[in-house]
């Protein structure tokens, strides 16, 4: 089968633009994105970008999709390689914090920033972000329920919200309080919580 070189180049361009847009959105806000801004940052023509997105809202929605794909690749898939049960739940938290620590995105967390930006602004973007959050919380709940079903946790009550709260708190506080102490405390806080609920705390890692 022959691969159309134009399609390959077009997809590469689209990915490069979305990578840059995602980085910019964590600094300037999702609403701060514009095709002109991206064209200037990438050194390409604005008219060329119109071939991929015909409006600012279309670009913003594409960035949300791109952010989800990145989160899946960088956080979720590596965590799912951990053993089933509470260790997988812990791995997800640890991998999330490692993603923040690596400063993959200069503004920390795309989704946390975008939720704060659009929480009070009804519309398509808030609806899409709300759906992403619902999916994420459902995933945390599923991992928690699996840990209970496996006999690793005596109860999972409130665990998904503890995990999410610690993640958001850590990435928001890190610029002001320092990443080293902030992410360390976020790890210790969840470990302490999970150990208190675990039927066998020894399967969880030790952190000093």
């Amino acid at each position: 089968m022959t691969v159309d070189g134009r399609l390959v180049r077009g997809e590469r361009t689209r990915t490069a633009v979305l990578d840059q847009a995602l980085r910019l959105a964590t600094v300037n806000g999702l609403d701060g994105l514009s095709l002109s801004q991206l064209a200037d940052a990438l050194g390409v023509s604005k008219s060329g970008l119109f071939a991929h997105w015909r409006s600012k809202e279309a670009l913003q929605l594409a960035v949300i999709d791109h952010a989800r794909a990145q989160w899946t690749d960088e956080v979720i898939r590596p965590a799912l390689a951990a053993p089933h049960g509470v260790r997988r739940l812990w791995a997800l938290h640890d991998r999330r914090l490692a993603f923040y620590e690596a400063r993959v995105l200069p503004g920390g967390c795309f989704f946390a920033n975008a939720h704060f930006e659009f929480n009070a602004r009804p519309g398509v973007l808030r609806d899409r972000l709300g759906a992403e959050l619902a999916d994420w919380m459902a995933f945390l709940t599923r991992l928690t329920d699996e840990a209970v079903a496996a006999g690793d946790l005596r109860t999972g009550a409130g665990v998904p919200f503890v995990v999410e709260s610690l993640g958001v708190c850590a990435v928001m506080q890190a610029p002001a309080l320092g990443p080293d102490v902030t992410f360390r405390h976020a790890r210790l806080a969840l470990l302490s919580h999970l150990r208190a609920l675990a039927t066998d705390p020894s399967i969880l890692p030790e952190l000093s």
Side-chain angles (χ1 to χ4, degrees):
M1 183 178 70
T2 302
V3 177
D4 190 330
R6 291 171 300 177
L7 292 177
V8 172
R9 289 191 296 273
E11 186 58 31
R12 285 176 181 167
T13 298
R14 186 177 188 277
T15 299
V17 172
L18 288 174
D19 284 343
Q20 180 68 14
L22 183 52
R23 289 190 290 268
L24 289 173
T26 65
V27 176
N28 300 328
L30 187 58
D31 199 41
L33 284 179
S34 71
L35 292 173
S36 296
Q37 178 192 53
L38 281 173
D40 290 342
L42 291 165
V44 299
S45 69
K46 179 179 175 181
S47 60
L49 297 184
F50 270 110
H52 299 280
W53 305 282
R54 301 300 298 178
S55 68
K56 178 177 177 176
E57 184 176 272
L59 171 65
Q60 291 169 317
L61 291 171
V63 170
I64 294 173
D65 290 340
H66 197 62
R68 176 169 180 152
Q70 181 189 68
W71 189 256
T72 299
D73 289 341
E74 299 284 343
V75 178
I76 294 176
R77 284 203 181 102
L80 291 177
H84 185 82
V86 70
R87 286 173 290 182
R88 185 171 293 178
L89 187 61
W90 161 252
L92 185 70
H93 182 66
D94 184 54
R95 183 60 204 158
R96 175 187 193 166
L97 296 181
F99 176 78
Y100 295 152
E101 288 170 314
R103 292 192 60 79
V104 176
L105 299 174
C109 181
F110 168 80
F111 284 108
N113 293 346
H115 285 305
F116 283 120
E117 183 181 1
F118 283 92
N119 266 344
R121 299 166 65 177
V124 172
L125 294 175
R126 189 179 75 172
D127 291 346
R128 175 67 67 82
L129 289 166
E132 294 294 339
L133 180 59
D135 285 349
W136 171 246
M137 292 306 297
F139 179 65
L140 290 178
T141 300
R142 192 189 89 200
L143 291 191
T144 301
D145 291 344
E146 289 174 355
V148 174
D152 289 351
L153 295 177
R154 287 187 292 273
T155 177
V159 169
F161 294 95
V162 172
V163 174
E164 176 63 3
S165 296
L166 287 171
V168 172
C169 181
V171 75
M172 290 300 177
Q173 291 189 1
L177 303 182
D180 293 340
V181 64
T182 302
F183 294 122
R184 177 175 174 272
H185 285 169
R187 284 187 171 92
L188 289 172
L190 186 62
L191 268 181
S192 177
H193 188 72
L194 292 178
R195 283 179 178 278
L197 300 176
T199 55
D200 179 9
S202 69
I203 67 174
L204 289 163
E206 295 280 352
L207 289 183
S208 58

